[in-house]
Amino acid sequence: LRVFLDDVRHRISGWAEFSPPPGATRCELIAVLPNQTTPSASIPTQLGALWRGPMPDNLLVVSPFFDQAESTVDRTYTALSKLITNRGERKIDFYTSGRRLGDGRVEVDIPSRLFKSPLRHPSTEHGISIVEDASKADGDAQRPLHAKTLFLYKDSFSLFMIGSSNC
């Protein structure tokens, strides 16, 4: 990774500085490098540093992957909750993989402790939805959810993060 980054730095060293106009969409790299001598800041910490204005009141989480241990689930929920306002109404929507069962019930691939967290503030609403495997745009091809996304928003400002552990 270090060789790759050094090569990229060398290749772009002659590029002119660019400042986007006010209000323009910006792209930022949020690197998570846990196995380094000095680990990078966590995703919630980096997202919090990028946020501008009053705290967001909505968070959308898309992922088919969740740790199952209660302590990890609680730590994750606490970190997610700190990304949104602690005043007034707020909402966290979870989108995950799952399936519709023959009896009409829906089974979701998310720890119930995350969705029904004992750490949940009374004014925090939770939503949960499944992302179907079938892709209507691709002839009903079976494509299991693999995306990992966080989307924070309030009024006229939002942060959208997409990621993969495959990089």
Side-chain angles (χ1 to χ4, degrees):
L1 179 61
R2 186 174 315 275
V3 171
F4 169 75
L5 292 175
D6 288 343
D7 183 52
V8 170
R9 281 188 194 98
H10 173 73
R11 290 173 186 261
I12 67 171
S13 63
W15 291 7
E17 287 291 322
F18 173 75
S19 295
T25 300
R26 292 181 14 222
C27 292
E28 299 281 342
L29 173 65
I30 297 181
V32 179
L33 306 169
N35 296 325
Q36 303 299 309
T37 306
T38 306
S40 58
S42 69
I43 289 171
T45 299
Q46 293 183 64
L47 287 174
L50 292 171
W51 187 263
R52 302 289 179 257
M55 292 294 290
D57 47 18
N58 291 281
L59 169 62
L60 187 144
V61 179
V62 178
S63 180
F65 309 113
F66 296 93
D67 287 324
Q68 299 295 320
E70 284 190 8
S71 61
T72 306
V73 169
D74 289 348
R75 190 170 55 247
T76 299
Y77 189 84
T78 298
L80 292 174
S81 296
K82 287 180 180 178
L83 289 171
I84 58 176
T85 187
N86 59 5
R87 295 187 208 141
E89 295 179 6
R90 52 199 162 236
K91 185 172 185 183
I92 302 175
D93 285 308
F94 297 95
Y95 287 79
T96 189
S97 52
R99 64 223 44 84
R100 296 183 190 285
L101 304 176
D103 61 4
R105 291 180 301 144
V106 175
E107 183 177 73
V108 294
D109 299 329
I110 187 173
S112 62
R113 187 172 179 92
L114 185 59
F115 181 71
K116 299 175 181 175
S117 176
L119 304 172
R120 178 179 158 207
H121 189 277
S123 68
T124 302
E125 179 185 342
H126 286 167
I128 191 161
S129 298
I130 63 168
V131 177
E132 303 276 354
D133 285 350
S135 172
K136 300 293 182 207
D138 200 10
D140 287 334
Q142 297 296 303
R143 300 189 186 276
L145 177 65
H146 191 75
K148 282 125 337 238
T149 301
L150 293 175
F151 180 41
L152 293 159
Y153 56 100
K154 179 180 180 75
D155 301 329
S156 63
F157 191 78
S158 61
L159 285 174
F160 181 70
M161 183 184 130
I162 56 175
S164 177
S165 58
N166 297 337
C167 297

